[in-house]
Coordinates of all heavy atoms in Angstrom, one line a residue:
M1 N -7.5 5.0 -15.0 CA -8.2 6.2 -15.5 C -7.4 7.4 -15.2 O -7.2 7.9 -14.1 CB -9.5 6.2 -14.6 CG -10.4 7.4 -15.2 SD -11.9 7.5 -14.3 CE -11.3 7.9 -12.6
V2 N -6.6 7.9 -16.2 CA -5.9 9.0 -16.1 C -6.4 10.0 -17.2 O -6.5 9.7 -18.4 CB -4.4 8.7 -16.3 CG1 -3.6 10.1 -16.4 CG2 -3.9 7.8 -15.3
T3 N -6.8 11.2 -16.8 CA -7.3 12.1 -17.7 C -6.4 13.4 -18.0 O -6.7 14.2 -18.8 CB -8.7 12.6 -17.3 OG1 -8.6 13.2 -16.0 CG2 -9.6 11.5 -17.3
Q4 N -5.4 13.5 -17.0 CA -4.6 14.7 -17.1 C -3.2 14.5 -17.8 O -2.6 13.4 -17.4 CB -4.5 15.3 -15.8 CG -5.8 16.0 -15.3 CD -5.6 16.6 -13.9 OE1 -5.3 15.9 -13.0 NE2 -5.7 17.9 -13.9
T5 N -2.9 15.3 -18.7 CA -1.6 15.1 -19.4 C -0.3 14.9 -18.4 O -0.3 15.6 -17.5 CB -1.3 16.3 -20.2 OG1 -2.5 16.5 -21.0 CG2 -0.1 16.1 -21.1
G6 N 0.4 14.0 -18.7 CA 1.6 13.8 -18.0 C 1.6 12.8 -16.8 O 2.6 12.3 -16.5
T7 N 0.5 12.5 -16.3 CA 0.5 11.6 -15.1 C 0.9 10.2 -15.4 O 1.1 9.5 -14.5 CB -1.0 11.6 -14.5 OG1 -2.0 11.3 -15.4 CG2 -1.3 13.0 -14.0
E8 N 0.9 9.8 -16.7 CA 1.3 8.4 -16.9 C 2.8 8.2 -16.7 O 3.2 7.1 -16.4 CB 1.1 8.0 -18.4 CG -0.4 8.1 -18.7 CD -0.9 9.5 -19.3 OE1 -0.2 10.5 -19.0 OE2 -2.0 9.5 -19.8
T9 N 3.6 9.3 -16.7 CA 5.0 9.0 -16.5 C 5.6 9.8 -15.4 O 6.7 9.5 -14.9 CB 5.7 9.5 -17.8 OG1 5.4 10.8 -18.2 CG2 5.3 8.5 -19.0
D10 N 5.0 10.8 -14.9 CA 5.6 11.6 -13.9 C 5.7 10.8 -12.5 O 4.8 9.9 -12.2 CB 4.7 12.9 -13.6 CG 4.8 13.9 -14.7 OD1 5.8 13.9 -15.3 OD2 3.8 14.6 -14.9
E11 N 6.7 11.1 -11.8 CA 6.9 10.6 -10.5 C 5.9 11.3 -9.6 O 5.9 12.6 -9.7 CB 8.3 10.6 -10.0 CG 9.2 9.6 -10.8 CD 10.6 9.6 -10.2 OE1 10.8 9.9 -9.0 OE2 11.5 9.1 -11.1
L12 N 5.4 10.7 -8.7 CA 4.2 11.3 -7.8 C 4.6 11.1 -6.4 O 5.4 10.1 -5.9 CB 2.9 10.7 -8.2 CG 2.5 10.8 -9.6 CD1 1.1 10.1 -9.7 CD2 2.3 12.1 -10.0
R13 N 4.2 12.1 -5.6 CA 4.3 11.9 -4.1 C 2.9 12.2 -3.6 O 2.0 12.7 -4.3 CB 5.2 13.0 -3.5 CG 6.5 13.0 -4.2 CD 7.6 13.7 -3.4 NE 8.1 12.8 -2.4 CZ 8.8 13.2 -1.2 NH1 9.0 14.4 -1.1 NH2 9.2 12.3 -0.5
V14 N 2.6 11.6 -2.4 CA 1.2 11.8 -1.9 C 1.2 12.1 -0.3 O 2.2 11.6 0.4 CB 0.4 10.4 -2.0 CG1 1.1 9.2 -1.5 CG2 -0.9 10.6 -1.7
W15 N 0.3 12.8 0.2 CA 0.2 13.1 1.6 C -1.3 13.1 1.9 O -2.2 13.3 1.0 CB 0.9 14.3 2.0 CG 0.4 15.7 1.6 CD1 0.5 16.2 0.2 CD2 -0.5 16.6 2.1 NE1 0.0 17.4 0.2 CE2 -0.7 17.6 1.3 CE3 -1.0 16.6 3.5 CZ2 -1.4 18.8 1.7 CZ3 -1.8 17.7 3.8 CH2 -2.0 18.7 3.0
V16 N -1.7 12.9 3.1 CA -2.9 12.9 3.7 C -3.1 14.0 4.7 O -2.4 14.2 5.6 CB -3.4 11.6 4.2 CG1 -4.8 11.6 5.0 CG2 -3.4 10.5 3.2
D17 N -4.3 14.7 4.6 CA -4.6 15.8 5.6 C -5.5 15.1 6.6 O -6.7 14.9 6.3 CB -5.3 16.9 4.9 CG -5.7 18.1 6.0 OD1 -5.5 17.9 7.1 OD2 -6.1 19.1 5.6
Q18 N -5.0 14.6 7.7 CA -5.7 13.9 8.7 C -7.0 14.8 9.3 O -7.9 14.2 9.8 CB -4.9 13.4 9.8 CG -4.1 12.1 9.4 CD -2.9 12.4 8.5 OE1 -2.3 13.5 8.6 NE2 -2.4 11.5 7.8
D19 N -6.8 16.1 9.3 CA -7.9 16.9 9.8 C -9.2 16.6 9.1 O -10.2 17.0 9.7 CB -7.5 18.4 9.8 CG -6.4 18.8 10.7 OD1 -6.1 18.0 11.6 OD2 -5.8 19.9 10.5
L20 N -9.1 16.2 7.9 CA -10.4 16.0 7.2 C -10.7 14.6 6.9 O -11.7 14.2 6.3 CB -10.2 16.8 5.8 CG -10.0 18.2 5.8 CD1 -9.7 18.7 4.4 CD2 -11.2 18.9 6.4
C21 N -9.8 13.7 7.3 CA -10.0 12.2 7.1 C -11.3 11.8 7.8 O -11.4 12.0 9.0 CB -8.8 11.4 7.5 SG -9.0 9.7 7.3
T22 N -12.2 11.0 7.2 CA -13.3 10.4 7.7 C -13.2 9.1 8.4 O -14.0 8.5 9.0 CB -14.5 10.4 6.8 OG1 -14.2 9.3 5.9 CG2 -14.8 11.7 6.1
G23 N -12.0 8.5 7.9 CA -11.6 7.2 8.5 C -12.5 6.0 7.9 O -12.6 4.9 8.4
D24 N -12.9 6.3 6.7 CA -13.8 5.2 6.0 C -13.0 4.1 5.4 O -13.4 3.0 5.3 CB -14.6 5.9 4.8 CG -13.7 6.4 3.9 OD1 -13.2 7.5 4.0 OD2 -13.4 5.8 2.9
G25 N -11.8 4.4 5.0 CA -10.8 3.4 4.6 C -10.8 3.1 3.1 O -10.1 2.1 2.8
L26 N -11.4 3.8 2.4 CA -11.4 3.6 1.0 C -9.9 3.6 0.4 O -9.6 2.9 -0.4 CB -12.2 4.8 0.3 CG -12.3 4.7 -1.3 CD1 -13.7 5.2 -1.7 CD2 -11.2 5.4 -2.0
C27 N -9.1 4.5 0.9 CA -7.7 4.6 0.4 C -7.0 3.3 0.8 O -6.0 2.9 0.0 CB -6.9 5.8 1.0 SG -7.0 5.9 2.8
V28 N -7.2 2.7 1.9 CA -6.5 1.6 2.4 C -6.9 0.4 1.5 O -6.0 -0.4 1.2 CB -6.8 1.3 3.9 CG1 -6.1 0.0 4.4 CG2 -6.4 2.5 4.7
Q29 N -8.1 0.3 1.1 CA -8.5 -0.6 0.1 C -7.9 -0.5 -1.2 O -7.5 -1.5 -1.9 CB -10.1 -0.6 0.0 CG -10.9 -1.0 1.3 CD -12.4 -0.9 1.0 OE1 -12.9 -0.8 -0.1 NE2 -13.0 -0.7 2.1
Y30 N -7.8 0.7 -1.7 CA -7.1 1.0 -2.9 C -5.7 0.6 -3.0 O -5.2 0.0 -4.0 CB -7.3 2.5 -3.4 CG -8.5 2.7 -4.2 CD1 -9.7 3.1 -3.7 CD2 -8.5 2.5 -5.7 CE1 -10.9 3.5 -4.4 CE2 -9.7 2.8 -6.4 CZ -10.9 3.2 -5.7 OH -12.0 3.4 -6.6
A31 N -4.9 1.1 -2.0 CA -3.5 1.0 -2.1 C -3.0 0.8 -0.6 O -2.4 1.6 0.0 CB -2.8 2.3 -2.6
P32 N -3.1 -0.5 -0.1 CA -2.7 -0.8 1.2 C -1.2 -0.7 1.4 O -0.6 -0.6 2.6 CB -3.1 -2.2 1.5 CG -3.4 -2.8 0.0 CD -3.8 -1.5 -0.8
E33 N -0.4 -0.6 0.2 CA 1.0 -0.4 0.5 C 1.4 1.0 0.7 O 2.5 1.3 1.1 CB 1.7 -0.9 -0.8 CG 1.8 -2.3 -1.1 CD 2.4 -2.6 -2.4 OE1 3.5 -2.1 -2.7 OE2 1.7 -3.3 -3.3
V34 N 0.4 2.0 0.4 CA 0.7 3.4 0.6 C -0.1 4.0 1.7 O 0.4 4.8 2.4 CB 0.3 4.1 -0.7 CG1 0.5 5.6 -0.5 CG2 1.1 3.6 -1.9
F35 N -1.3 3.4 2.1 CA -2.1 4.1 3.1 C -2.4 3.0 4.2 O -2.6 1.9 3.9 CB -3.5 4.5 2.5 CG -3.4 5.5 1.4 CD1 -3.6 5.0 0.0 CD2 -3.1 6.8 1.6 CE1 -3.5 6.0 -1.0 CE2 -3.0 7.7 0.6 CZ -3.2 7.3 -0.8
E36 N -2.4 3.6 5.4 CA -2.8 2.6 6.5 C -3.3 3.4 7.7 O -2.9 4.6 7.9 CB -1.5 1.9 7.1 CG -1.7 0.8 8.1 CD -0.4 0.0 8.4 OE1 0.3 -0.3 7.4 OE2 -0.2 -0.2 9.5
F37 N -4.1 2.8 8.5 CA -4.7 3.4 9.6 C -3.8 3.4 10.7 O -3.1 2.3 11.0 CB -6.0 2.8 10.1 CG -7.2 3.0 9.3 CD1 -7.9 1.9 8.8 CD2 -7.7 4.3 9.0 CE1 -9.0 2.2 8.0 CE2 -8.7 4.5 8.1 CZ -9.4 3.4 7.6
D38 N -3.7 4.5 11.5 CA -3.0 4.4 12.8 C -4.1 4.0 13.9 O -5.3 4.0 13.6 CB -2.2 5.7 13.1 CG -1.3 5.5 14.2 OD1 -0.8 4.4 14.5 OD2 -0.9 6.5 14.8
V39 N -3.7 4.1 15.2 CA -4.6 3.7 16.2 C -5.6 4.7 16.4 O -6.7 4.5 17.0 CB -3.8 3.5 17.6 CG1 -3.0 2.2 17.4 CG2 -3.0 4.7 17.9
D40 N -5.4 5.9 15.8 CA -6.4 7.0 16.0 C -7.5 6.8 15.0 O -8.6 7.6 15.0 CB -5.8 8.4 15.8 CG -5.1 8.6 14.6 OD1 -5.2 7.8 13.7 OD2 -4.4 9.6 14.4
G41 N -7.4 5.8 14.1 CA -8.6 5.5 13.2 C -8.5 6.4 11.9 O -9.4 6.4 11.1
L42 N -7.3 7.2 11.8 CA -7.2 8.0 10.6 C -6.2 7.4 9.7 O -5.3 6.6 10.1 CB -6.8 9.4 11.1 CG -7.8 10.1 12.0 CD1 -7.2 11.4 12.5 CD2 -9.2 10.2 11.4
A43 N -6.3 7.8 8.4 CA -5.3 7.2 7.4 C -4.1 8.0 7.3 O -4.1 9.2 7.5 CB -6.0 7.2 6.1
Y44 N -2.9 7.3 7.2 CA -1.7 8.0 7.0 C -0.8 7.2 5.9 O -1.2 6.2 5.5 CB -0.8 7.8 8.3 CG -1.3 8.5 9.4 CD1 -2.4 8.0 10.2 CD2 -0.8 9.8 9.9 CE1 -2.9 8.7 11.3 CE2 -1.3 10.5 11.0 CZ -2.3 9.9 11.7 OH -2.9 10.7 12.7
V45 N 0.1 8.0 5.3 CA 0.9 7.4 4.3 C 2.1 6.6 5.0 O 2.4 7.0 6.1 CB 1.4 8.5 3.2 CG1 0.3 9.1 2.4 CG2 2.2 9.6 4.0
K46 N 2.5 5.7 4.2 CA 3.8 5.1 4.8 C 4.8 4.9 3.6 O 4.4 4.9 2.4 CB 3.4 3.7 5.3 CG 2.7 2.7 4.4 CD 2.3 1.4 5.1 CE 1.4 0.5 4.3 NZ 1.1 -0.7 5.1
D47 N 6.1 4.9 4.0 CA 7.2 4.8 3.1 C 7.4 3.4 2.7 O 6.7 2.5 2.9 CB 8.4 5.5 3.7 CG 8.9 4.8 4.8 OD1 8.6 3.4 5.1 OD2 9.7 5.4 5.7
G48 N 8.5 3.3 1.8 CA 8.8 2.1 1.2 C 9.1 1.0 2.1 O 9.0 -0.2 1.7
D49 N 9.6 1.4 3.3 CA 9.8 0.4 4.3 C 8.6 -0.1 5.1 O 8.7 -0.8 6.0 CB 10.9 0.9 5.3 CG 12.3 1.1 4.6 OD1 12.5 0.3 3.6 OD2 12.9 2.0 4.8
G50 N 7.5 0.6 4.8 CA 6.2 0.3 5.5 C 6.1 1.1 6.8 O 5.1 0.8 7.6
D51 N 6.9 2.1 7.0 CA 6.8 3.0 8.2 C 5.7 4.0 8.0 O 5.8 4.8 7.0 CB 8.1 3.5 8.6 CG 9.2 2.5 8.9 OD1 8.8 1.5 9.6 OD2 10.4 2.7 8.7
L52 N 4.9 4.1 9.0 CA 3.8 5.2 8.9 C 4.5 6.5 9.2 O 5.2 6.6 10.1 CB 2.8 4.9 10.0 CG 1.6 4.0 9.7 CD1 0.5 4.2 10.8 CD2 1.0 4.2 8.3
K53 N 4.0 7.5 8.4 CA 4.5 8.9 8.5 C 3.4 9.6 9.3 O 2.5 10.1 8.6 CB 4.9 9.4 7.1 CG 5.7 8.6 6.2 CD 6.9 8.1 6.8 CE 8.0 9.2 6.8 NZ 9.4 8.7 7.3
L54 N 3.7 9.9 10.5 CA 2.7 10.4 11.4 C 2.8 12.0 11.4 O 1.8 12.7 11.9 CB 2.8 10.0 12.8 CG 2.6 8.3 12.9 CD1 2.8 7.9 14.3 CD2 1.2 7.9 12.3
A55 N 3.9 12.6 11.1 CA 4.0 14.1 11.1 C 3.0 14.6 10.1 O 2.9 14.2 8.9 CB 5.4 14.5 10.8
P56 N 2.3 15.8 10.5 CA 1.4 16.4 9.6 C 2.0 16.9 8.3 O 3.1 17.3 8.3 CB 0.8 17.6 10.3 CG 1.1 17.3 11.9 CD 2.3 16.4 11.9
G57 N 1.4 16.5 7.1 CA 1.9 16.9 5.9 C 3.0 16.0 5.3 O 3.6 16.3 4.3
S58 N 3.4 14.9 6.0 CA 4.3 14.0 5.5 C 4.0 13.5 4.2 O 3.0 13.1 3.9 CB 4.6 12.9 6.5 OG 5.0 13.2 7.7
R59 N 5.0 13.5 3.3 CA 4.9 13.0 1.8 C 5.7 11.7 1.7 O 6.7 11.6 2.3 CB 5.3 14.0 0.8 CG 4.6 15.4 1.0 CD 5.2 16.3 0.0 NE 4.5 17.7 0.1 CZ 4.7 18.6 -0.8 NH1 5.7 18.4 -1.6 NH2 4.1 19.8 -0.7
V60 N 5.1 10.8 0.9 CA 5.9 9.7 0.4 C 5.9 9.5 -1.0 O 4.9 10.1 -1.7 CB 5.4 8.4 1.1 CG1 5.5 8.5 2.6 CG2 4.0 8.0 0.7
D61 N 6.8 8.9 -1.5 CA 6.8 8.5 -2.9 C 5.7 7.6 -3.3 O 5.5 6.6 -2.6 CB 8.2 8.0 -3.4 CG 9.3 9.0 -3.3 OD1 9.0 10.2 -3.5 OD2 10.4 8.7 -3.1
V62 N 5.2 7.7 -4.5 CA 4.1 6.8 -4.9 C 4.9 5.7 -5.8 O 5.4 6.0 -6.8 CB 3.0 7.4 -5.7 CG1 2.0 6.3 -6.2 CG2 2.3 8.4 -4.8
P63 N 4.8 4.3 -5.4 CA 5.4 3.4 -6.2 C 4.7 3.4 -7.6 O 3.5 3.5 -7.8 CB 5.1 2.1 -5.5 CG 4.9 2.5 -4.1 CD 4.2 3.8 -4.2
T64 N 5.6 3.2 -8.7 CA 5.0 3.3 -10.0 C 3.7 2.5 -10.3 O 2.9 2.9 -10.9 CB 6.2 3.0 -11.0 OG1 7.3 3.8 -10.8 CG2 5.7 3.2 -12.4
H65 N 3.8 1.2 -9.7 CA 2.8 0.3 -10.0 C 1.5 0.7 -9.4 O 0.4 0.1 -9.6 CB 3.2 -1.1 -9.8 CG 3.4 -1.4 -8.4 ND1 4.5 -1.0 -7.6 CD2 2.6 -2.2 -7.4 CE1 4.5 -1.3 -6.4 NE2 3.3 -2.0 -6.3
L66 N 1.5 1.6 -8.4 CA 0.3 2.0 -7.6 C -0.1 3.3 -8.0 O -1.0 3.8 -7.4 CB 0.7 2.0 -6.1 CG 0.9 0.5 -5.6 CD1 1.4 0.6 -4.1 CD2 -0.3 -0.4 -5.7
R67 N 0.4 3.9 -9.1 CA 0.1 5.3 -9.3 C -1.4 5.5 -9.6 O -2.1 6.4 -9.0 CB 0.9 5.7 -10.6 CG 0.6 7.1 -11.1 CD 1.3 7.5 -12.4 NE 2.7 7.4 -12.3 CZ 3.5 6.6 -12.9 NH1 3.1 5.8 -13.7 NH2 4.8 6.7 -12.7
L68 N -2.0 4.7 -10.4 CA -3.4 4.8 -10.7 C -4.3 4.5 -9.5 O -5.4 5.2 -9.3 CB -3.9 3.9 -11.9 CG -3.1 4.2 -13.3 CD1 -3.6 3.3 -14.3 CD2 -3.4 5.6 -13.6
D69 N -4.0 3.5 -8.7 CA -4.6 3.3 -7.5 C -4.7 4.5 -6.6 O -5.7 4.9 -6.0 CB -4.1 2.0 -6.7 CG -4.2 0.8 -7.5 OD1 -5.2 0.6 -8.2 OD2 -3.2 0.0 -7.6
V70 N -3.5 5.2 -6.4 CA -3.4 6.3 -5.5 C -4.3 7.4 -6.1 O -4.9 8.2 -5.3 CB -1.9 6.7 -5.2 CG1 -1.8 8.1 -4.5 CG2 -1.3 5.5 -4.5
I71 N -4.1 7.7 -7.4 CA -4.9 8.7 -8.0 C -6.4 8.5 -7.8 O -7.1 9.4 -7.5 CB -4.5 8.9 -9.5 CG1 -3.1 9.5 -9.6 CG2 -5.5 9.7 -10.2 CD1 -2.6 9.4 -11.1
D72 N -6.8 7.3 -8.0 CA -8.3 6.9 -7.9 C -8.7 7.2 -6.5 O -9.8 7.7 -6.1 CB -8.5 5.5 -8.3 CG -8.7 5.5 -9.9 OD1 -8.8 6.4 -10.5 OD2 -8.6 4.2 -10.3
A73 N -7.8 6.8 -5.5 CA -8.2 7.0 -4.1 C -8.3 8.4 -3.8 O -9.3 8.9 -3.1 CB -7.1 6.5 -3.2
A74 N -7.4 9.3 -4.4 CA -7.5 10.8 -4.1 C -8.8 11.3 -4.7 O -9.5 12.2 -4.1 CB -6.3 11.4 -4.8
R75 N -9.2 10.8 -5.9 CA -10.4 11.4 -6.6 C -11.7 10.9 -5.9 O -12.6 11.6 -5.9 CB -10.4 10.9 -8.0 CG -9.4 11.7 -8.8 CD -9.4 11.3 -10.2 NE -8.4 12.1 -11.0 CZ -7.9 11.8 -12.2 NH1 -8.2 10.6 -12.8 NH2 -7.0 12.6 -12.8
E76 N -11.6 9.8 -5.2 CA -12.8 9.3 -4.5 C -12.8 9.5 -3.1 O -13.8 9.1 -2.4 CB -13.0 7.8 -4.9 CG -13.2 7.6 -6.5 CD -13.5 6.2 -6.9 OE1 -13.9 5.5 -6.0 OE2 -13.1 6.0 -8.1
C77 N -11.8 10.0 -2.5 CA -11.7 10.2 -1.0 C -12.8 10.9 -0.4 O -13.0 12.2 -0.9 CB -10.3 10.7 -0.7 SG -10.3 11.4 1.0
P78 N -13.6 10.5 0.4 CA -14.9 11.2 0.9 C -14.5 12.5 1.6 O -15.3 13.4 1.7 CB -15.6 10.2 1.8 CG -14.9 8.8 1.5 CD -13.6 9.1 1.0
G79 N -13.2 12.5 2.2 CA -12.9 13.7 2.8 C -12.1 14.7 2.1 O -11.8 15.8 2.6
D80 N -11.9 14.4 0.7 CA -11.2 15.2 -0.1 C -9.8 15.7 0.6 O -9.5 16.9 0.6 CB -11.9 16.5 -0.3 CG -12.8 16.4 -1.6 OD1 -12.5 15.5 -2.4 OD2 -13.7 17.2 -1.8
C81 N -9.2 14.7 1.1 CA -8.0 14.9 1.9 C -6.7 14.1 1.4 O -5.7 14.2 2.2 CB -8.3 14.7 3.3 SG -8.8 13.2 3.8
I82 N -6.8 13.5 0.3 CA -5.6 13.0 -0.3 C -5.0 13.9 -1.4 O -5.8 14.1 -2.3 CB -5.9 11.5 -0.8 CG1 -6.4 10.5 0.3 CG2 -4.6 10.9 -1.5 CD1 -6.9 9.3 -0.2
H83 N -3.7 14.2 -1.2 CA -3.1 15.1 -2.2 C -2.1 14.5 -2.9 O -1.1 13.9 -2.3 CB -2.5 16.3 -1.4 CG -3.5 17.2 -0.7 ND1 -4.1 18.3 -1.1 CD2 -4.1 16.9 0.6 CE1 -4.9 18.8 -0.2 NE2 -5.0 18.0 0.8
V84 N -2.2 14.3 -4.2 CA -1.2 13.7 -5.1 C -0.5 14.7 -5.9 O -1.1 15.5 -6.6 CB -1.8 12.6 -6.1 CG1 -0.7 11.9 -6.8 CG2 -2.7 11.6 -5.2
L85 N 0.8 14.7 -5.7 CA 1.7 15.9 -6.3 C 2.6 15.3 -7.3 O 3.2 14.3 -7.1 CB 2.4 16.7 -5.2 CG 1.7 17.0 -3.9 CD1 2.6 17.6 -2.9 CD2 0.6 18.0 -4.3
R86 N 2.9 16.1 -8.4 CA 3.9 15.7 -9.3 C 5.2 16.0 -8.6 O 5.4 17.1 -8.1 CB 3.8 16.5 -10.6 CG 4.5 16.0 -11.8 CD 3.9 16.5 -13.0 NE 3.8 18.0 -13.0 CZ 2.9 18.7 -13.7 NH1 2.1 18.0 -14.5 NH2 2.8 19.9 -13.7
R87 N 6.1 15.1 -8.6 CA 7.4 15.3 -7.8 C 8.2 16.4 -8.3 O 8.9 17.2 -7.5 CB 8.2 14.0 -7.9 CG 9.4 14.0 -6.9 CD 10.0 12.7 -6.9 NE 11.0 12.6 -6.0 CZ 11.6 11.6 -5.4 NH1 11.3 10.4 -5.9 NH2 12.7 11.7 -4.6
T88 N 8.2 16.6 -9.6 CA 9.2 17.6 -10.1 C 8.8 19.0 -9.8 O 9.7 19.9 -9.7 CB 9.2 17.5 -11.7 OG1 7.9 17.5 -12.2 CG2 10.0 16.3 -12.1
D89 N 7.5 19.4 -9.7 CA 7.2 20.8 -9.5 C 6.1 20.9 -8.5 O 5.6 22.0 -8.2 CB 6.7 21.5 -10.8 CG 5.5 20.7 -11.4 OD1 5.0 19.8 -10.8 OD2 5.3 20.9 -12.5
D90 N 5.8 19.9 -7.7 CA 4.8 20.0 -6.5 C 3.4 20.3 -7.1 O 2.5 20.8 -6.2 CB 5.2 20.9 -5.5 CG 6.2 20.2 -4.6 OD1 6.3 19.0 -4.6 OD2 6.8 20.9 -3.6
V91 N 3.0 20.2 -8.3 CA 1.7 20.6 -8.9 C 0.8 19.4 -8.4 O 1.1 18.2 -8.6 CB 1.7 20.8 -10.3 CG1 0.3 20.8 -10.9 CG2 2.4 22.0 -10.7
E92 N -0.4 19.7 -7.9 CA -1.3 18.7 -7.4 C -2.0 18.2 -8.7 O -2.7 18.9 -9.2 CB -2.2 19.2 -6.3 CG -3.2 18.2 -5.8 CD -3.7 18.5 -4.4 OE1 -2.9 19.0 -3.6 OE2 -4.8 18.2 -4.1
I93 N -1.9 16.8 -8.9 CA -2.6 16.3 -10.1 C -3.8 15.5 -9.8 O -4.6 15.2 -10.6 CB -1.6 15.5 -11.0 CG1 -1.0 14.4 -10.2 CG2 -0.5 16.4 -11.5 CD1 -1.7 13.0 -10.4
A94 N -4.0 15.3 -8.5 CA -5.3 14.6 -8.0 C -5.4 15.0 -6.5 O -4.5 15.0 -5.9 CB -5.2 13.1 -8.1
G95 N -6.7 15.3 -6.2 CA -7.0 15.8 -4.9 C -7.7 17.2 -5.0 O -8.1 17.6 -5.9
P96 N -8.0 17.7 -3.8 CA -8.8 18.8 -3.6 C -8.3 20.0 -4.4 O -9.0 21.0 -4.7 CB -9.1 19.0 -2.1 CG -7.9 18.2 -1.5 CD -7.7 17.1 -2.5
D97 N -6.9 20.1 -4.5 CA -6.2 21.3 -5.0 C -5.9 21.1 -6.5 O -5.3 22.0 -7.1 CB -5.0 21.8 -4.3 CG -5.4 22.1 -2.8 OD1 -6.6 22.6 -2.7 OD2 -4.6 21.8 -1.9
A98 N -6.3 20.0 -7.1 CA -6.1 19.8 -8.5 C -7.0 20.5 -9.3 O -8.0 20.8 -8.9 CB -6.2 18.2 -8.8
E99 N -6.4 21.0 -10.5 CA -7.3 21.7 -11.4 C -8.4 20.8 -12.1 O -8.2 19.7 -12.3 CB -6.4 22.4 -12.5 CG -5.6 23.6 -11.9 CD -4.8 24.3 -13.0 OE1 -5.0 23.9 -14.2 OE2 -4.1 25.2 -12.7
Ligands
SF4_101 S1 -10.2 7.7 1.7 FE1 -9.8 9.8 2.5 S2 -11.2 10.0 4.1 FE2 -11.2 7.9 3.7 S3 -9.8 7.1 5.2 FE3 -8.6 7.5 3.3 S4 -7.8 9.5 3.6 FE4 -9.4 9.2 5.1

């Protein structure tokens, strides 16, 4: 489900604002290759090697085959805290700051 122009082909990056994460796990269900809980019960992004990125605001590339799953997770995230950005210009295409 993509409704905004360009998202079908743009390379994307994603980050999670843990300050707002409710820990419900929807994102982990959608894209377990990208999102994972740490011991604090909050969701974090992880890189292509599967390493959790614990620093606040850490961004990772979204694998092409998971683009729609990550966008759906951002749109349905109860905490409104998943930010999906277009890699070329950092414009948020899904998440609380998307138009
Ligand atoms: S869907 Fe949003 S609120 Fe829920 S665990 Fe993932 S980042 Fe946190």
Side-chain angles (χ1 to χ4, degrees):
M1 183 180 66
V2 175
T3 57
Q4 288 179 294
T5 306
T7 54
E8 294 89 346
T9 55
D10 289 327
E11 292 187 20
L12 303 177
R13 310 199 81 197
V14 61
W15 66 281
V16 171
D17 182 353
Q18 281 80 25
D19 287 344
L20 298 176
C21 176
T22 70
D24 62 281
L26 183 146
C27 57
V28 178
Q29 292 177 19
Y30 267 98
E33 290 176 51
V34 176
F35 303 103
E36 186 174 314
F37 287 127
D38 195 23
V39 291
D40 59 7
L42 302 177
Y44 291 80
V45 290
K46 52 186 179 178
D47 63 20
D49 294 327
D51 293 327
L52 278 193
K53 311 304 279 185
L54 299 177
S58 294
R59 301 174 178 185
V60 298
D61 294 334
V62 177
T64 304
H65 68 287
L66 294 175
R67 180 186 293 120
L68 295 182
D69 295 315
V70 169
I71 289 172
D72 281 346
R75 289 180 175 161
E76 297 182 26
C77 167
D80 269 342
C81 57
I82 298 175
H83 300 260
V84 182
L85 312 175
R86 197 160 52 205
R87 189 172 180 168
T88 49
D89 55 10
D90 276 352
V91 169
E92 184 156 320
I93 59 96
D97 298 329
E99 289 185 4

